[in-house]
Amino acid sequence: MNAGVSIVADDTRSWGLETPGPGLLLHVPATGRWARRPSVHLEAAPGYRIRLRGAGQTLLWTRIDSYWDRAAFLRGTAQAPQVLPPLSAPEVRAVEAASGTGAWWEAWAWRVARALVEAPLPVLHAGSWCLRPVRAIASEKSERHPVSPMEWGFGQPPMPPHSLSAVTRFLHAWNEDWWDARTEHTPGVVLGLRALSSPEDGRVKSWRKRARDGTLPPVLLLYVDILAKWLVLDGHDRLHAALLEDVEPPLLGLWPFVTPPRPASAVREEGALFSAEFQLRSGATPETVDRVNRMLLLNFTPNPRGTVSRAWPLPGGRASWREEVSARRRVAPAPLPDDIDWDWFT
């Protein structure tokens, strides 16, 4: 165990998620290796240009519109790094608790937490993290992107994961209309970081048997709030096996969190109540009620815990961004879509 990292039980009152088991909080010091950029991290340049890096390679470029109405995504050509060592059969059998029970989730959470701390390609950085079981919701229950500061701000809880099957569509570049309510664009969608292995791959076949037996180890997801997505950090083959067997995969969610002080504010609270009344007036659908409840919790909870994904400055700024994206387009492994405004993106 790396000295200085504290791991304790998660005492958060509510993350607003379906959490089928106990979670852990990891408090990482700002010393030693933790003071540096982790191997997997975000970088940012002006104009909402976001770059996801892994093991020194770019995995994803994202440009977000200044009004947050749309975003465009371009994958890199590098393979996603393996941040955790492959699970062996003896390691899986060592977790003897019945699958899905509190003891089973606790055992896997501790195993994954230790692996994250000891990983040679770190994902963690200085600060506080939550590692907790999460359950995917039906895609039609996902929330639309917010349109008001009463509904959103940095430091909210993560959105529930949905649309796990999206990992089977490994697009090299795509547009997202964040004003639209289509579920493949709504917050919480799951994004794979590599193309899935063939169904005939040996590991996929092995995991399919465990999926049928109900003994599949959890898939590790990382929530990135500025992208409103869960990234598959570890377990692409396990997730693929579960999809092939049409079973619900166990999911462990990982996200950094902050606890900003929240003084009482009559203006903020009255504004939230007015917004809630306005939204419910048009029809209290289950989705609207869930969205309003999240908004009210956001505005009335004192000192709420929420997630903020950290990004480091992109070396070279916009000039490097333009050069890299232009070079990536020249070596595209397949024709890139022409519905992306590449002049704007670059």
Side-chain angles (χ1 to χ4, degrees), residues 106-122:
E106 184 176 12
W108 276 113
W110 275 98
R111 281 176 174 268
V112 172
R114 293 188 181 102
L116 286 168
V117 171
E118 297 167 359
L121 297 178

Side-chain angles (χ1 to χ4, degrees), residues 182-267:
R182 287 178 294 175
T183 55
E184 65 266 28
H185 296 169
T186 52
V189 71
V190 175
L191 178 66
L193 293 181
R194 67 166 174 82
L196 296 181
S197 303
S198 164
E200 301 306 312
D201 181 87
R203 286 188 66 83
V204 175
K205 287 184 175 181
S206 175
W207 291 131
R208 289 185 71 170
K209 182 178 184 302
R210 288 202 167 272
R212 292 193 297 270
D213 296 343
T215 58
L216 192 68
V219 177
L220 179 61
L221 305 178
L222 171 68
Y223 189 73
V224 180
D225 67 318
I226 196 168
L227 304 182
K229 285 179 171 44
W230 293 89
L231 308 182
V232 181
L233 273 187
D234 183 69
H236 286 80
D237 288 340
R238 298 195 292 278
L239 179 53
H240 192 195
L243 293 173
L244 290 170
E245 294 297 326
D246 196 26
V247 301
E248 179 184 358
L251 306 173
L252 265 177
L254 174 70
W255 59 88
F257 73 89
V258 294
T259 311
R262 171 66 66 78
S265 168
V267 173

Side-chain angles (χ1 to χ4, degrees), residues 118-180:
E118 297 167 359
L121 297 178
V123 176
L124 304 178
H125 56 69
S128 296
W129 296 76
C130 183
L131 179 67
R132 192 171 184 103
V134 294
R135 179 172 287 130
I137 62 172
S139 57
E140 60 269 17
K141 293 184 178 180
S142 62
E143 298 184 18
R144 57 163 171 76
H145 281 274
V147 296
S148 163
M150 287 297 176
E151 295 181 16
W152 185 85
F154 285 109
Q156 288 198 42
M159 291 291 187
H162 68 86
S163 300
L164 302 181
S165 62
V167 301
T168 64
R169 300 186 295 275
F170 191 79
L171 303 176
H172 291 284
W174 68 98
N175 265 323
E176 291 190 358
D177 185 346
W178 285 4
W179 183 259
D180 197 345

